[in-house]
Amino acid sequence: MADQIPLSMTVNGQTRRGLGEARLTLADFLREQAHCTGVHLGCEHGVCGSCTVLMDGEAVRSCLLFAVQADGAGITTVEGLAPDDETLHPVQEAFRDCHGLQCGFCTPGFVVSVAAFLEANPDPSDEEIRHGISGNLCRCTGYQGIVAATRQAAAVMKGSGQS
Amino acid sequence: MSQTAAAARYVGQSVKRLEDPRLVTGHGRYVDDIVLPGMLHAAFGRSDLARATITRLDTSAAEALDGVHAVYTGADLNSYNDSLRASLHPPESPAPPANMLADGDVRFVGDPYVMVVAQSRYIAEDALDLVEVEFEPLDPVVDYETAAESDHHVHPELGGNLAHDLPVPNPATDEAFANAAYTITETWHQHRQTNVPMETRGIVASWQPHAGVMEVWASTQSPHELQLVGARVLGIGEHKMVVHFGDVGGGFGQKMFLGREDMAVLVVAKLLGSPVKWIEDRRENLLASNHARIEQMTVKMAVGEDGSFLAADLDQLEDDGAYPLGGPATPGAMATMLYPGPYRMGPVSWRARTVYTNTCGRGAYRGPWQMESVAREQMIDRVAREIGMDPLELRRRNVLTPDDLPYQVSTGLLYETTISPKQTLEQAAEMIGYDEFRAEQAQAREEGRYLGLGMALYIEPTSMGMGPLGTESAMLRVEVDGHVNVFMGTGSHGQSLETTMAQLVADELGVRPEDVTLHQGHGSGYGFGTGGSRSAVIAGSAARAAASGVREKVVAIAAHLMEASADDLEVGDGVISVKGTPAASMTMAQVAATAYQNSDALPPGTEAGLEHTARYKAPPTTHSNACHICTCELDPGTGKITLLRYVVSEDCGVLINPMVVDGQIAGGVVQGIGGVLYEHAVYDASGNPLASTFLDYLVPTAAEVPELECGHVVVPSDTPGGHKGTGEGGAIGAPPAVFNAVADALAPFGAYPNRQPLDPNAVLSLIASASDE
Ligand code: FES
Ligand code: FES
């Protein structure tokens, strides 16, 4: 079997060490070794956005990165957004309020992408929202609730100075 | 409803979903999240040729790879093949040979012929590269229009490519055609699309030897179909088949039945005695799960001078691919039978044929027989254009009104009095501002801009109450502390049943929705699962009946304990109180504790415990109806279509949760938009699929869809809650509405589209060929 490379990264604020072949994807490392099963794989070729995580604050597709490329990085997955077990992040809250999800499979990728998008663009127009989330696919909602959720989260986060 | 039932507190409210906190934080539990000790991973080797003989297959190098546990070919698994039939498929009807793996020859690109089970998916795929295989290519049958006449047979065992041929002549149409002022004919084509749930298919199977138990986790819409068919495949009893139901990432019909791969995993897990996981990748999903909508209908309509519909003659042809998922389908027969839709149509004659081709098998996709609405609504716009009448006016003249109901359709359907097509037509026309738009459109044309409006009006037979589909059950138990567990045969995969069923139970029993947990899969009673727009009516009625049964007992016990009359009690939010005297009350928890732990205090003759099971049998059909209208702008330079507005007026009876209903409609509409404008699972002439990634198979994004406006007409159905099904409707109404809008925008060029997708190239060539004429 191919050589196993030691890996270490900060995942949702905690150090996670593991071993993997050079070809191990970041997504598989996060799912299988860091137990972040909120990282979903909808295509494994970089189009659907379900696997989106933050790497050093920037939204990336974890199916397109090898784990070794993230060695030493700080990763935030959807599991790392809510402040505690009882409270949701404003983006998560907005997805719930606005019915921004049905089956929920695309949702972690959307939530992470929207959080990053609002960080960069705290006061987006509707057009910017639609464009901003057009890198993620959802097959259930027709995007109606997702657009509304992004609007709501922007308003809430701006109001609370979160972004 | 029992006479003490509370007024609706939760039904009708957009209650926030109980599913969401776990799903928005990444704590859902989908099948790929299941990890078992000693679990192995399966991968399938699939044909790259549409039709070929396997001349050599050597798996020894693959077997020798470190980490590989086993490699299987068709010859290893085919002894299980007799049992693969889906439960909706009658045993006596003709079917392609049921095999899990191709044996001797391959019949479409993606046909699995070898299966590797290894320590990891990475190793399993490495091993696939080591499988040595040689093929002798054969001429494939790719074009379904000529498949029936082809000398090449997709399934040589069947002796031909015609799967079904159902002619239903009706001599009464002859006279109508003879007397018609207009006879108009067109062939309408839909093109190959696929469901694309964002979670692909997947299954984990774990065999417990000696116990004889197969434990399964799967991405399914129908845990009981898996339990029933899986047990049959394995030769075990259903009592030894344990199907766990977790979160399911969409299905849209694809996960109703077991795929060949699912069955292979079950068998192999038993043979190996180790848990086996298979997670389909996206390429497999796009090429080999199921395709849909590959069909055409030739429609001839007889129309009177005043635009009245006098008769129709229909000829439907559809492509079943090689291995239709769930067995050879006959949606064509349904499509023709449902063609009259919400109109007085006169006599109808029809023929429906299905053929096999060397392509991915057909399967159910949200509104599997929506060709009826596609062909009819596109035809009506064509008729309007031919006879020079406004399409809204033409529909108004023919639509069924409340005075026509109940209505016996010439094709055999019976519409109940609770449908409202006329009302939804008028509501949608008002929402879009029909006359204003027509004025705006005329103005725009003068300025060289091309706007279009399309509408579609339809009736959907939901919640069908026949055969295996007919019933659902609910087993409801109030636990000792007053909280409620309800076990149901549904398979919610985005439909929000954990919330909507809890709302129904909450109102009927008198608790809060968050006090109710829905359990699906293992432990629930037989039901067909979630699909066919059936859960609200059929499962919902079962939930209601189970709750009502427990409620009666709760009231009787509380009356006894409180020394009050049962008639004076009301129950709400977990509190039983004397009407008008809220201080005189006790809690559900107190009643429950008495029922289980102090049964001597119960009223004499009362059985201990607080649980009830109910099974609901649905009427043959509960019809819902809707009208979709959308507007678009066409850029004649690029062929690009931009949707401007999209309105839906629908009647799904009493809404359990309006937010959820609107969400179901929106999802279906956007699938319909995608189908007409973007998505195409296209093959080349040799049967090579050209759309194997999301770069080629274009699912719409947020940037392509307009804001949806939903209006509701509420005519309660005669079923217990007054609900009607609504899961599929969006995907039924949207394709013809969008198509008609584009056709309308193209009309000034003299173009007559009759096929999809209407992508920019298609639009430009329609413009070009029209101006050549
Ligand atoms: S799974 Fe990474 S983009 Fe689709
Ligand atoms: S909620 Fe199912 S794919 Fe988005």
Side-chain angles (χ1 to χ4, degrees):
Chain A
M1 240 177 276
D3 287 346
Q4 300 280 316
I5 300 164
L7 295 161
S8 170
M9 54 192 96
T10 308
V11 179
N12 299 329
Q14 293 190 307
T15 305
R16 290 281 176 242
R17 290 183 224 283
L19 279 178
E21 295 173 50
R23 64 176 174 170
L24 180 72
T25 64
L26 176 59
D28 283 350
F29 175 84
L30 291 171
R31 287 183 54 80
E32 287 161 19
Q33 300 195 32
H35 306 297
C36 295
T37 53
V39 177
H40 290 170
L41 292 169
C43 71
E44 297 175 276
H45 54 254
V47 182
C48 76
S50 304
C51 64
T52 306
V53 300
L54 302 180
M55 182 158 116
D56 296 330
E58 200 156 320
V60 297
R61 310 209 149 190
S62 61
C63 73
L64 288 187
L65 285 166
F66 293 115
V68 289
Q69 294 175 281
D71 195 33
I75 302 288
T76 305
T77 70
V78 69
E79 288 98 334
L81 290 180
D84 59 59
D85 279 2
E86 307 299 320
T87 320
L88 298 177
H89 183 278
V91 173
Q92 294 168 326
E93 191 80 55
F95 268 66
R96 186 179 190 210
D97 288 348
C98 303
H99 197 29
L101 65 154
Q102 291 179 22
C103 79
F105 196 79
C106 69
T107 311
F110 266 103
V111 165
V112 172
S113 300
V114 167
F117 168 70
L118 293 178
E119 193 74 36
N121 190 349
D123 193 13
S125 66
D126 270 18
E127 174 116 13
E128 286 169 326
I129 289 176
R130 284 184 182 274
H131 191 257
I133 62 175
S134 67
N136 289 59
L137 298 180
C138 172
R139 193 59 159 170
C140 295
T141 62
Y143 305 103
Q144 306 295 315
I146 298 177
V147 172
T150 307
R151 255 185 233 134
Q152 172 180 319
V156 169
M157 286 163 72
K158 215 167 54 169
S160 68
Q162 269 209 36
S163 62
Chain B
M1 233 180 253
S2 68
Q3 107 217 64
T4 51
R9 288 184 195 211
Y10 299 106
V11 170
Q13 305 298 316
S14 291
V15 171
K16 285 191 214 175
R17 300 203 320 164
L18 301 173
E19 295 86 339
D20 285 353
R22 70 171 187 272
L23 297 179
V24 296
T25 55
H27 294 96
R29 206 229 61 202
Y30 300 85
V31 62
D32 196 20
D33 304 337
I34 300 298
V35 176
L36 301 177
M39 187 175 79
L40 303 174
H41 299 261
F44 291 90
R46 295 174 182 276
S47 170
D48 289 328
L49 294 169
R51 182 162 171 257
T53 308
I54 301 174
T55 51
R56 193 170 87 88
L57 182 55
D58 181 351
T59 59
S60 50
E63 280 163 48
L65 184 71
D66 279 350
V68 170
H69 282 240
V71 181
Y72 297 98
T73 64
D76 301 317
L77 301 183
N78 282 354
S79 56
Y80 292 85
N81 284 354
D82 283 349
S83 43
L84 303 189
R85 185 175 47 80
S87 46
L88 273 189
H89 188 63
E92 64 280 4
S93 57
N99 56 18
M100 296 175 214
L101 296 179
D103 193 6
D105 67 324
V106 289
R107 301 182 182 186
F108 71 101
V109 173
D111 201 354
Y113 62 86
V114 66
M115 177 184 185
V116 174
V117 183
Q119 248 164 39
S120 76
R121 178 66 177 250
Y122 287 75
I123 296 173
E125 292 188 20
D126 289 344
L128 286 179
D129 288 340
L130 299 174
V131 171
E132 293 173 29
V133 63
E134 283 168 27
F135 294 105
E136 168 96 24
L138 300 168
D139 286 339
V141 180
V142 182
D143 175 18
Y144 79 103
E145 297 187 26
T146 55
E149 289 82 49
S150 173
D151 293 334
H152 305 295
H153 295 162
V154 176
H155 300 296
E157 303 85 348
L158 298 179
N161 296 328
L162 189 62
H164 290 282
D165 186 356
L166 182 69
V168 185
N170 182 350
T173 57
D174 295 345
E175 196 189 323
F177 277 105
N179 296 328
Y182 308 95
T183 297
I184 296 157
T185 305
E186 180 60 281
T187 300
W188 302 102
H189 302 256
Q190 289 204 90
H191 64 287
R192 188 178 285 270
Q193 297 160 48
T194 181
N195 305 37
V196 194
M198 289 314 298
E199 181 201 35
T200 56
R201 296 179 296 154
I203 184 167
V204 175
S206 176
W207 176 247
Q208 298 164 17
H210 301 287
V213 169
M214 180 61 84
E215 206 173 358
V216 183
W217 292 255
S219 185
T220 178
Q221 300 177 224
S222 181
H224 286 276
E225 175 76 1
L226 178 53
Q227 179 177 327
L228 179 62
V229 178
R232 199 201 299 137
V233 169
L234 294 166
I236 62 175
E238 272 199 80
H239 64 314
K240 301 285 189 183
M241 182 83 187
V242 175
V243 176
H244 299 285
F245 187 86
D247 289 307
V248 174
F252 317 109
Q254 184 168 93
K255 297 173 180 172
M256 212 69 204
F257 303 101
L258 282 76
R260 296 158 75 203
E261 300 90 343
D262 298 317
M263 304 193 204
V265 169
L266 289 173
V267 168
V268 160
K270 184 166 177 240
L271 291 174
L272 280 175
S274 302
V276 176
K277 173 189 275 190
W278 171 64
I279 303 296
E280 183 180 52
D281 69 25
R282 182 55 63 187
R283 182 171 186 276
E284 293 179 289
N285 183 261
L286 288 171
L287 300 191
S289 56
N290 72 281
H291 290 169
R293 311 257 197 269
I294 322 110
E295 59 203 332
Q296 55 181 277
M297 192 189 282
T298 300
V299 182
K300 189 166 97 172
M301 268 179 80
V303 180
E305 193 65 54
D306 60 352
S308 53
F309 303 155
L310 303 177
D313 179 56
L314 316 171
D315 189 356
Q316 158 89 1
L317 177 66
E318 66 189 37
D319 186 346
D320 245 358
Y323 293 101
L325 188 59
T330 51
M334 286 290 290
T336 40
M337 195 164 82
L338 298 175
Y339 180 85
Y343 305 99
R344 291 178 300 275
M345 187 61 72
V348 178
S349 58
W350 78 86
R351 180 179 188 191
R353 284 170 299 158
T354 310
V355 294
Y356 294 114
T357 60
N358 291 112
T359 63
C360 177
R362 179 176 178 128
Y365 176 32
R366 206 171 197 166
W369 51 76
Q370 47 79 285
M371 190 63 189
E372 46 84 25
S373 286
V374 168
R376 181 190 61 247
E377 293 303 310
Q378 294 177 185
M379 192 68 190
I380 289 174
D381 268 33
R382 178 64 64 80
V383 168
R385 195 166 156 185
E386 297 284 348
I387 71 174
M389 189 180 285
D390 178 89
L392 175 59
E393 175 61 22
L394 182 60
R395 285 179 174 82
R396 279 177 171 150
R397 289 189 183 194
N398 289 283
V399 69
L400 294 168
T401 67
D403 293 341
D404 294 313
L405 304 173
Y407 187 76
Q408 178 68 54
V409 186
S410 68
T411 54
L413 309 165
L414 178 67
Y415 294 149
E416 54 273 43
T417 55
T418 53
I419 60 167
S420 58
K422 169 82 175 150
Q423 296 94 308
T424 52
L425 177 68
E426 296 302 339
Q427 187 181 60
E430 178 161 348
M431 285 167 73
I432 201 82
Y434 190 82
D435 296 336
E436 296 81 344
F437 178 83
R438 288 298 185 198
E440 185 190 335
Q441 181 183 36
Q443 175 70 33
R445 273 181 198 173
E446 280 178 22
E447 295 160 11
R449 289 170 55 223
Y450 296 88
L451 305 186
L453 177 147
M455 68 183 91
L457 182 66
Y458 64 89
I459 292 182
E460 181 190 354
T462 79
S463 319
M464 292 209 277
M466 305 98 156
L469 296 165
T471 75
E472 285 287 340
S473 92
M475 299 160 58
L476 187 145
R477 188 164 71 228
V478 179
E479 303 294 354
V480 179
D481 75 350
H483 291 95
V484 181
N485 281 311
V486 57
F487 297 78
M488 302 183 66
T490 47
S492 185
H493 51 287
Q495 291 77 5
S496 321
L497 298 187
E498 287 172 51
T499 306
T500 54
M501 293 299 126
Q503 287 177 260
L504 294 177
V505 168
D507 274 357
E508 196 67 31
L509 179 58
V511 293
R512 302 173 308 167
E514 57 267 39
D515 296 329
V516 181
T517 297
L518 173 66
H519 302 265
Q520 302 167 94
H522 184 54
S524 66
Y526 178 77
F528 199 71
T530 295
S533 305
R534 62 194 298 279
S535 291
V537 170
I538 310 183
S541 296
R544 201 177 270 279
S548 158
V550 171
R551 180 197 182 92
E552 276 173 33
K553 192 163 175 185
V554 167
V555 169
I557 295 170
H560 179 73
L561 297 175
M562 294 164 74
E563 296 177 355
S565 156
D567 291 343
D568 293 340
L569 296 185
E570 60 189 358
V571 191
D573 288 352
V575 177
I576 305 97
S577 53
V578 178
K579 282 178 210 160
T581 322
S585 69
M586 61 190 303
T587 63
M588 189 66 74
Q590 289 171 311
V591 172
T594 307
Y596 292 104
Q597 297 182 322
N598 188 17
S599 52
D600 291 333
L602 292 173
T606 302
E607 197 183 323
L610 211 46
E611 51 203 320
H612 187 73
T613 297
R615 179 168 288 279
Y616 176 72
K617 164 73 173 79
T621 319
T622 302
H623 290 95
S624 63
N625 56 269
C627 182
H628 293 213
I629 303 185
C630 77
T631 57
C632 72
E633 175 153 10
L634 156 68
D635 179 339
T638 63
K640 184 170 184 246
I641 302 292
T642 305
L643 296 181
L644 302 174
R645 282 183 67 202
Y646 201 113
V647 306
V648 176
S649 165
E650 68 79 48
D651 183 354
C652 69
V654 174
L655 290 80
I656 301 173
N657 185 322
M659 174 185 85
V660 166
V661 170
D662 288 357
Q664 288 296 311
I665 294 168
V669 164
V670 171
Q671 284 177 316
I673 292 172
V676 174
L677 298 181
Y678 311 108
E679 301 173 29
H680 194 183
V682 64
Y683 284 86
D684 71 12
S686 313
N688 296 307
L690 303 181
S692 62
T693 71
F694 280 151
L695 295 171
D696 324 295
Y697 193 87
L698 301 176
V699 171
T701 75
E704 280 91 40
V705 301
E707 194 114 342
L708 205 72
E709 302 156 59
C710 283
H712 302 281
V713 171
V714 179
V715 181
S717 73
D718 292 331
T719 64
H723 317 303
K724 306 169 185 173
T726 197
E728 293 164 289
I732 297 172
V738 173
F739 185 98
N740 283 340
V742 178
D744 188 39
L746 279 166
F749 299 96
Y752 288 85
N754 65 359
R755 60 176 76 227
Q756 327 156 355
L758 291 166
D759 56 26
N761 282 337
V763 169
L764 287 180
S765 70
L766 278 161
I767 294 173
S769 54
S771 54
D772 286 350
E773 274 160 26

